[in-house]
């Protein structure tokens, strides 16, 4: 029951197609409303004609818009990155019920140069789109996100990390999972329609046992990043080398005066230090900073709730202290109470 159309600019084509569907739908909905009024013998041209002339798809009921066939754009992330982002942004700002599915390996060599767009964060910046960034390695999270995408009448974007072709399926899934656990490819859901008392932004946070994992650990499993690493023999270890997680923790305005490394295990089962290029270090730093932003977005509601709770507690303490002072003053003013 579906149709597939190819286009060099899929976002622009989807917007045009959705507009065509809405132009077809509006006269039909207008006629249906007149028919309902006629059934009840309530249609008055002098009252209803001008109102119905101003009827547009934005004033239609959600149930009416849900009758439209879904318009879905499917573009791999690498192809979408090569296209102009203007039509992508125009589609997200349009308010049209179009869904964009973006399969992504989750990690690109182009990330080292900063030239690859973060489609999830860009989509959230448009504020009015439902955004899901998820992974096949977290199927429950992905399914819940796709349900939200299909139910909304807003523009919706789903960026899904899928394994690339590897020498073995186990390695593919290990790397895809590591993207999530190392916070290299954060998974989250953003829904602007959630009630104010709920969190519009919901972030999956790996447990503290994965705190030492970084983008460098994820890159170490990928063949395309292999040339960025070099194993350092034990005879060359010194105090100027620093493990990458500690290095990033101490990296504030300027980098620490140290060479970052991570531990690897060689074919003989021996632990070795592997240093890596400055480009990969910068990528780790960039992903850490991005994660901090996502943590702030996810924690904004919690912070407001916590602050409100602290305010109530502080108010209760002040009221309790005032009552205690009143009791003490009353005791001091009554000699009989003091003697008793």
């Amino acid at each position: 029951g579906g149709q597939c159309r190819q286009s060099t600019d899929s976002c622009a084509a989807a917007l045009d197609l959705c507009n065509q569907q809405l132009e077809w739908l509006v006269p039909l909905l207008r006629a249906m409303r007149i028919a309902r009024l006629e059934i009840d013998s309530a249609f008055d041209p002098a009252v209803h004609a001008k109102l119905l002339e101003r009827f547009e798809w934005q004033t239609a009921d959600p149930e009416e818009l849900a009758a439209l066939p879904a318009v879905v754009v499917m573009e791999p992330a690498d192809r979408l990155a090569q296209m102009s982002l203007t039509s992508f942004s125009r589609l997200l700002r349009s308010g049209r019920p179009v869904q964009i599915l973006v399969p992504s390996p989750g990690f690109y060599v182009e990330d080292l140069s900063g030239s690859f767009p973060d489609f999830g964060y860009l989509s959230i910046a448009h504020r009015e789109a439902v955004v899901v960034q998820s992974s096949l390695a977290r199927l429950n999270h992905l399914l819940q996100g796709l349900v939200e995408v299909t139910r909304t009448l807003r523009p919706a974007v789903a960026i899904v990390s899928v394994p690339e072709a590897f020498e073995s399926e186990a390695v593919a899934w290990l790397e895809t999972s590591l993207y999530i656990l190392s916070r290299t490819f954060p998974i989250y859901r953003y829904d602007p329609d959630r009630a104010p008392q709920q969190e519009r932004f919901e972030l999956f946070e790996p447990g503290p046992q994965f705190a030492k994992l970084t983008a460098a650990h994820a890159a170490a499993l990928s063949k395309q990043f292999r040339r960025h690493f070099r194993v350092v023999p034990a005879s060359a270890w010194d105090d100027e080398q620093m493990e990458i997680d500690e290095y990033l923790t101490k990296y504030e305005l300027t980098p620490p005066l140290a060479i970052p490394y991570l531990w690897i295990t060689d074919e003989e089962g021996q632990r070795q230090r592997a240093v890596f290029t400055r480009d990969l270090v910068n990528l780790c730093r960039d992903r850490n900073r991005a994660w901090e932003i996502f943590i702030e977005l996810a924690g904004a509601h919690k912070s407001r709730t916590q602050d409100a709770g602290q305010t109530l507690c502080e108010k209760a303490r002040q009221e309790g202290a005032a009552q205690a002072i009143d009791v003490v003053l009353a005791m001091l003013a009554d000699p009989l109470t003091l003697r008793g």
Side-chain angles (χ1 to χ4, degrees):
Q3 297 180 0
C4 179
R5 302 185 182 184
Q6 294 183 343
S7 174
T8 55
D9 190 342
S10 53
C11 291
L15 182 57
D16 290 341
L17 177 59
C18 188
N19 284 335
Q20 292 172 16
Q21 291 190 159
L22 291 171
E23 289 176 5
W24 167 84
L25 181 66
V26 168
L28 179 62
L29 295 179
R30 191 179 294 126
M32 290 177 63
R33 294 195 173 200
I34 293 174
R36 293 192 189 102
L37 291 170
E38 290 283 11
I39 290 174
D40 297 332
S41 300
F43 180 69
D44 184 352
V47 176
H48 299 111
K50 290 185 178 181
L51 292 175
L52 290 171
E53 285 178 5
R54 293 195 296 268
F55 176 81
E56 297 292 343
W57 70 269
Q58 292 92 338
T59 54
D61 295 333
E63 296 79 9
E64 294 173 324
L65 291 178
L68 278 175
V71 178
V72 182
V73 176
M74 184 170 178
E75 283 286 5
D78 53 349
R79 174 174 157 76
L80 192 59
Q82 296 172 5
M83 300 165 53
S84 171
L85 294 180
T86 303
S87 58
F88 178 76
S89 297
R90 185 181 296 117
L91 179 55
L92 294 184
R93 293 197 306 268
S94 69
R96 270 53 169 185
V98 177
Q99 302 158 17
I100 307 174
L101 179 61
V102 185
S104 169
F107 208 18
Y108 289 92
V109 173
E110 290 81 359
D111 288 328
L112 295 175
S113 62
S115 61
F116 202 86
D118 185 341
F119 291 109
Y121 195 75
L122 284 174
S123 303
I124 293 175
H126 286 82
R127 299 186 304 277
E128 299 303 318
V130 172
V131 184
V132 173
Q133 182 159 295
S134 192
S135 170
L136 283 176
R138 286 292 182 274
L139 194 56
N140 288 339
H141 183 274
L142 174 60
L143 293 178
Q144 292 173 9
L146 292 180
V147 167
E148 292 184 12
V149 166
T150 56
R151 286 179 176 175
T152 185
L153 294 175
R154 293 176 175 271
V157 183
I159 302 98
V160 183
S161 175
V162 296
E164 290 187 292
F166 284 88
E167 60 271 15
S168 71
E169 185 176 349
V171 173
W173 288 110
L174 174 61
E175 183 171 348
T176 305
S177 298
L178 191 56
Y179 291 157
I180 301 171
L181 299 178
S182 64
R183 300 164 297 279
T184 302
F185 185 85
I187 60 176
Y188 50 80
R189 295 198 296 267
Y190 171 76
D191 185 354
D193 284 328
R194 290 186 181 178
Q197 64 269 24
Q198 296 177 326
E199 295 181 22
R200 292 183 173 90
F201 183 81
E202 180 182 329
L203 176 68
F204 171 81
E205 300 182 38
Q209 66 270 32
F210 304 109
K212 288 181 172 291
L213 294 178
T214 67
H217 293 85
L221 287 181
S222 176
K223 285 185 176 180
Q224 59 180 343
F225 288 95
R226 199 68 51 85
R227 65 182 182 85
H228 291 272
F229 291 88
R230 177 177 293 180
V231 177
V232 179
S235 59
W237 295 0
D238 57 40
D239 295 338
E240 292 184 355
Q241 298 165 6
M242 184 182 296
E243 199 165 354
I244 180 61
D245 63 295
E246 181 182 0
Y247 181 91
L248 293 174
T249 300
K250 294 183 177 181
Y251 195 145
E252 295 180 353
L253 295 178
T254 58
L257 297 177
I259 300 174
Y261 70 89
L262 56 80
W263 291 106
I264 62 172
T265 303
D266 61 19
E267 295 178 353
E268 299 177 356
Q270 300 296 320
R271 296 187 77 196
Q272 301 283 355
R273 289 183 179 182
V275 297
F276 34 93
T277 61
R278 176 60 59 183
D279 288 339
L280 191 51
V281 174
N282 292 337
L283 177 61
C284 292
R285 166 71 169 166
D286 175 75
R287 292 303 165 97
N288 262 29
R289 290 172 63 84
W291 178 256
E292 291 172 358
I293 293 174
F294 287 130
I295 286 290
E296 291 174 0
L297 288 174
H301 173 77
K302 296 178 183 178
S303 299
R304 288 195 298 270
T305 304
Q306 185 177 8
D307 292 343
Q310 291 175 348
T311 301
L312 291 174
C313 291
E314 183 63 24
K315 183 178 180 181
R317 283 195 293 267
Q318 291 176 357
E319 291 176 353
Q323 292 175 0
I325 292 173
D326 290 340
V327 171
V328 172
L329 291 175
M331 292 174 62
L332 291 175
D334 188 355
L336 294 178
T337 302
L338 290 174
R339 288 197 296 271

